[in-house]
């Protein structure tokens, strides 16, 4: 029977993590389980930066971006020695279950901790990149896409006023979901994602075709992990179309911040709530995800093995809808 759990956020922060922390803390307390908050992710486990949490500690955070527990990347946790220290600290505090909110790297760390020290762990997918398999949803993706959309809409206004071509780089590491979804939602003429090899000649042919039919405003959304890259693309296209005004914009970290959307708040709350119920039910090494709008669990060691595939249908649709 679980009596005390700990919760941490690890890796890249994502808006909605606070909603998940709040749900974990309050669900645990509701069920008579004590909760500890670990600050600075796995590094906090090693450094014993672990504090008891009460219901009031998570008041007024559901609407905030970032994570009230802070997050970090920990080199020490990559070593067996570091993980032994982490496990010893958890034992010292009497913690018998851990909730890890983070991305696939954090889940790899959780698998190692479980394999070596058998601490029951439930992972909650928290990443704006949405690159985790076994779940349709990851915390922060919805907010990040909405932030990108807001920025791209504004850029389109100025692109239209000046007849300019804009190449806009969005986040997502080696995944193209933010690019694909923000591109569709802003009516981008092209979307370039890391999951597909970029064909510059085809992009150029499209611009050429558009110019001939006097369509002068062009938005190309490029994922940061695209094989060709937004900046080189800008140079190549400027060379091919010297008369055109081509601008390159990197949206950057604004996509990580901001108040989470209703969707991120609700889904993150669901995951936090169910993560605690799962620990209570004796689950040990699972990710709490959402599939077809239902809570779905998948073994942590299987979800880290593959990426979520990108939807070909959506990629095809971009071409049709921008024609
Ligand atoms: P994310 O969780 O957002 O993918 P990272 O990839 O940076 O972020 O991972 C977060 C942390 O998880 C790392 O700093 C490290 O402490 C831990 N971690 C990642 N991969 C491993 C691994 N293979 N073994 C142990 N710990 C890992």
């Amino acid at each position: 029977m679980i009596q005390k759990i700990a919760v941490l956020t690890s890796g890249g922060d994502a808006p909605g993590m606070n909603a998940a922390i709040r749900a974990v803390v309050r669900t645990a307390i509701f069920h008579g389980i004590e909760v500890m908050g670990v600050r600075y992710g796995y590094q906090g486990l090693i450094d014993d930066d672990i504090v008891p949490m009460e219901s009031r500690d998570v008041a007024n955070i559901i609407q905030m971006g970032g994570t009230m527990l802070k997050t970090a990347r920990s080199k020490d946790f990559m070593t067996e020695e570091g993980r032994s220290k982490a496990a010893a600290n958890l034992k010292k505090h009497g913690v018998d279950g851990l909730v890890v909110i983070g991305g696939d790297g954090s889940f790899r760390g959780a698998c190692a901790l479980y394999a070596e020290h058998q601490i029951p762990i439930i992972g909650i997918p928290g990443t704006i990149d949405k690159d985790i398999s076994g779940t349709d949803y990851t915390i922060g993706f919805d907010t990040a896409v909405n932030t990108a959309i807001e920025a791209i809409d504004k850029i389109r206004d100025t692109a239209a006023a000046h007849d300019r071509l804009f190449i806009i780089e969005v986040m997502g590491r080696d995944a193209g979901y933010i690019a694909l979804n923000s591109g569709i939602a802003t009516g981008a003429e092209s979307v370039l994602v890391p999951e597909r090899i970029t064909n510059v000649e085809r992009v150029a042919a499209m611009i050429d075709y558009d110019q001939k039919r006097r369509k002068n405003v062009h938005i190309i959304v490029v994922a940061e992990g695209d094989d060709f890259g937004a900046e080189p693309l800008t140079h190549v296209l400027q060379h091919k179309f010297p008369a055109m005004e081509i601008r390159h914009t990197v949206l950057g970290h604004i996509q990580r911040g901001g108040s989470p959307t209703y969707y991120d708040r609700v889904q993150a709350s669901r995951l936090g709530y169910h993560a605690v119920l799962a620990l209570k039910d004796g689950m040990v090494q699972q990710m709490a995800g959402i599939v077809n709008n239902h809570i779905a669990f998948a073994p942590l060691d299987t979800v880290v093995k593959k990426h979520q595939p990108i939807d070909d249908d959506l990629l095809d649709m971009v071409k049709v809808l921008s024609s």
Side-chain angles (χ1 to χ4, degrees):
M1 182 59 193
I2 294 272
Q3 286 174 343
K4 195 189 261 190
I5 63 168
V7 56
L8 61 82
T9 47
S10 166
D13 65 308
M17 280 181 162
N18 280 326
I21 295 168
R22 172 178 176 271
V24 167
V25 170
R26 295 206 166 156
T27 306
I29 292 170
F30 181 87
H31 288 285
I33 300 168
E34 283 182 68
V35 203
M36 310 284 286
V38 183
R39 287 158 42 85
Y40 297 101
Y42 291 134
Q43 196 56 45
L45 273 188
I46 294 169
D47 298 341
D48 197 14
D49 198 348
I50 304 172
V51 291
M53 294 191 81
E54 302 297 336
S55 187
R56 290 297 100 207
D57 294 329
V58 290
N60 206 24
I61 62 165
I62 197 168
Q63 76 281 17
M64 290 177 186
T67 157
M68 59 99 65
L69 286 175
K70 309 276 188 176
T71 183
R73 295 201 155 91
S74 168
K75 278 205 182 110
D76 297 342
F77 199 77
M78 306 287 279
T79 66
E80 255 187 70
E81 201 192 337
R83 292 191 294 272
S84 289
K85 260 194 201 162
N89 282 331
L90 285 172
K91 204 170 165 196
K92 185 179 88 181
H93 289 287
V95 169
D96 39 26
L98 179 64
V99 177
V100 170
I101 306 167
D104 59 347
S106 302
F107 289 175
R108 268 185 213 105
C111 289
L113 186 66
Y114 179 73
E116 290 157 9
H117 302 281
Q118 292 77 50
I119 293 159
I121 302 175
I122 300 295
I124 295 180
T127 164
I128 63 167
D129 306 333
K130 202 170 104 78
D131 55 353
I132 295 177
S133 66
T135 180
D136 300 339
Y137 170 80
T138 66
I139 294 175
F141 171 72
D142 189 67
T143 304
V145 172
N146 277 298
T147 304
I149 287 172
E150 217 184 304
I152 297 168
D153 282 347
K154 287 178 179 156
I155 291 170
R156 188 179 275 285
D157 287 347
T158 173
H162 289 274
D163 281 352
R164 277 179 185 156
L165 186 155
F166 267 89
I167 294 169
I168 303 167
E169 183 182 313
V170 298
M171 277 186 159
R173 289 199 298 187
D174 54 352
Y177 301 100
I178 295 179
L180 181 57
N181 287 278
S182 63
I184 291 171
T186 55
E189 277 66 29
S190 295
V191 177
L192 306 181
V193 296
E195 290 86 348
R196 298 290 178 274
I197 292 169
T198 292
N199 183 337
V200 181
E201 290 309 318
R202 202 167 64 205
V203 176
M206 241 186 103
I207 296 167
D208 197 39
Y209 172 72
D210 280 352
Q211 281 201 320
K212 285 185 181 126
R213 61 180 180 144
R214 295 188 181 283
K215 184 180 178 199
N216 294 324
V217 181
H218 215 97
I219 301 282
I220 302 177
V221 177
V222 184
E224 67 180 344
D226 179 63
D227 61 299
F228 199 82
E231 201 174 354
L233 181 72
T234 309
H235 294 308
V236 170
L237 292 181
Q238 191 66 81
H239 188 71
K240 277 185 190 287
F241 302 98
M244 245 186 147
E245 279 198 67
I246 303 182
R247 294 286 184 272
H248 170 217
T249 302
V250 182
L251 294 190
H253 281 80
I254 59 162
Q255 292 159 97
R256 275 201 185 284
S259 182
T261 58
Y262 105 82
Y263 192 69
D264 272 325
R265 297 181 197 196
V266 173
Q267 303 298 58
S269 298
R270 288 177 78 192
L271 293 179
Y273 171 75
H274 282 281
V276 174
L277 297 185
L279 282 173
K280 196 171 158 279
D281 287 347
M283 286 194 187
V284 293
Q285 200 203 180
Q286 300 276 317
M287 175 186 75
I290 295 176
V291 176
N292 294 332
N293 205 25
H294 292 288
I295 296 294
F297 290 90
L300 270 180
D301 54 349
T302 62
V303 300
V304 296
K305 286 201 179 111
K306 53 178 196 279
H307 254 200
Q308 197 176 117
I310 200 131
D311 193 337
D312 272 321
D313 187 54
L314 291 183
L315 280 168
D316 291 344
M317 192 176 80
V318 174
K319 284 183 219 142
V320 174
L321 298 190
S322 61
S323 63

